[in-house]
Amino acid sequence: LGPSCAQKFLSGRSEQTHNQKQKRLNKKDTMYGGMLLMVACLVAAGSVSGTQKLQERYSWQQLDFVFPNQRLKQQALARGDYVPTNGLPVGIERWENKLFVSVPRWKDGIPSTLNYIDMNQTPSGSPALIPYPDWSSNVAGDCANGLSTVYRIKADKCGRLWALDTGTVGIGNTTQQLCPYALNVWDLKTNRRLRRYELRPEDTNANTFIANIAIDMGRSCDDTFAYMSDELGYGLIVYSFEQNKSWRFAHSFFFPDPLRGDFNVAGLNFQWGEEGIFGMSLTPPQADGFRTLYFSPLAAHR
């Protein structure tokens, strides 16, 4: 889910009539609920073969969080720091008994952007999300210690969790860049942050929006690269864990096809042609020890 798509159902047009607004809101609620349910389906997708049907594991009408106590939860509700209907999960990743769920701060009232579910304690249903690694690490605008908005998350074979903090709150015209883009890596066995790397100014541009990441492990845990796709700035950023250094690459393949941005899904027609690299996937190691990174803009046939 990218910013353009999210903005389509998180915003509306003021010139519509009351009935049109109600229809739009109903459609928005349907799409919103569908996104929540889709997370449940995607969770199941990781544990079944191609010949089996997907089974629902988790679904929510609205998101809840595990607060330290009920008093703090009520305070957050009263202040607007927690608005149950404003949360939308967009990223998931499983590591052992933990299912990580990211919730971007597109709207106010998102108390934590990086969270997890203990799948042993709650194997199904609508569990409250537990902030990861803790509440203090999910404070928006605390650049050195906190997370503002996280989208995609990846766990690797060395027991590390990788998450890119965009440093933003809001969406579209409401976006505020509170902190620089920063790649965060945690040790999942100790829940200790191993590294926070701020992207260099030359890694981004005025249009940059980075949501997706892919992790490429080599011969050792140090020999690891992270690939980050700049969807709206049309670039690819590569980070070396061993060298603690990043590079930005540009290529015409990173751009969308302007003739492929008209979509029809279940009778809903919409235009979504702005975003560049949308999906990325790495092959297993080849005979030479290297992997191939496949990528594609959303609006493209290549």
Side-chain angles (χ1 to χ4, degrees):
L1 184 69
S4 301
C5 179
Q7 196 172 7
K8 282 179 172 60
F9 65 85
L10 287 175
S11 62
R13 296 180 178 178
S14 59
E15 66 270 15
Q16 291 174 304
T17 64
H18 174 76
N19 289 337
Q20 288 174 321
K21 285 182 180 179
Q22 189 61 48
K23 288 180 180 178
R24 177 182 57 79
L25 289 171
N26 290 340
K27 179 178 286 187
K28 182 178 74 172
D29 291 341
T30 300
M31 295 177 68
Y32 186 88
M35 288 303 298
L36 296 182
L37 184 58
M38 185 176 72
V39 172
C41 294
L42 288 174
V43 173
S47 58
V48 298
S49 70
T51 59
Q52 294 177 301
K53 292 183 178 180
L54 297 179
Q55 296 180 353
E56 180 181 304
R57 290 291 298 272
Y58 301 102
S59 63
W60 298 266
Q61 292 297 320
Q62 59 186 33
L63 294 179
D64 195 5
F65 295 83
V66 177
F67 284 81
N69 55 60
Q70 192 64 23
R71 178 180 60 83
L72 290 176
K73 181 177 182 178
Q74 292 303 317
Q75 286 181 356
L77 285 166
R79 292 195 302 258
D81 294 334
Y82 170 42
V83 181
T85 56
N86 281 0
L88 179 67
V90 300
I92 58 173
E93 177 73 332
R94 182 174 180 176
W95 180 80
E96 294 187 353
N97 68 312
K98 286 185 171 70
L99 177 68
F100 291 93
V101 181
S102 66
V103 185
R105 287 188 166 105
W106 285 332
K107 285 188 171 185
D108 294 335
I110 309 301
S112 175
T113 185
L114 180 58
N115 314 275
Y116 74 94
I117 298 166
D118 187 325
M119 300 183 72
N120 289 341
Q121 290 185 356
T122 51
S124 62
S126 306
L129 303 180
I130 306 169
Y132 185 86
D134 50 40
W135 277 102
S136 62
S137 300
N138 277 275
V139 177
D142 183 357
C143 300
N145 305 298
L147 300 168
S148 296
T149 283
V150 170
Y151 288 92
R152 304 295 182 262
I153 37 187
K154 298 293 182 183
D156 66 23
K157 293 182 179 179
C158 291
R160 298 174 298 192
L161 184 71
W162 299 68
L164 179 69
D165 180 19
T166 66
T168 61
V169 295
I171 188 171
N173 294 333
T174 69
T175 300
Q176 300 178 57
Q177 190 78 46
L178 304 181
C179 301
Y181 276 86
L183 185 62
N184 295 266
V185 186
W186 290 271
D187 182 338
L188 286 167
K189 297 179 178 64
T190 64
N191 299 323
R192 182 176 65 89
R193 188 169 68 176
L194 300 174
R195 186 166 299 176
R196 178 182 181 273
Y197 177 82
E198 285 189 11
L199 297 191
R200 305 169 305 151
E202 52 265 43
D203 289 332
T204 60
N205 58 41
N207 298 316
T208 287
F209 173 78
I210 307 171
N212 207 1
I213 60 174
I215 305 302
D216 182 6
M217 288 187 58
R219 295 158 295 180
S220 66
C221 293
D222 284 340
D223 183 23
T224 303
F225 290 85
Y227 305 104
M228 297 162 276
S229 59
D230 188 346
E231 297 178 15
L232 297 181
Y234 308 127
L236 182 68
I237 298 96
V238 180
Y239 168 76
S240 166
F241 187 83
E242 187 170 29
Q243 299 180 49
N244 196 31
K245 184 178 179 181
S246 59
W247 303 264
R248 180 183 176 91
F249 296 90
H251 196 280
S252 58
F253 281 171
F254 300 163
F255 286 81
D257 186 335
L259 301 180
R260 303 296 183 186
D262 185 59
F263 291 86
N264 286 279
V265 179
L268 178 65
N269 175 250
F270 59 94
Q271 286 66 49
W272 190 4
E274 301 92 350
E275 300 193 24
I277 299 178
F278 197 78
M280 297 189 296
S281 183
L282 284 158
T283 67
Q286 307 299 302
D288 58 3
F290 291 93
R291 304 171 190 263
T292 298
L293 176 70
Y294 288 97
F295 61 87
S296 175
L298 179 68
H301 281 184
R302 62 176 185 269

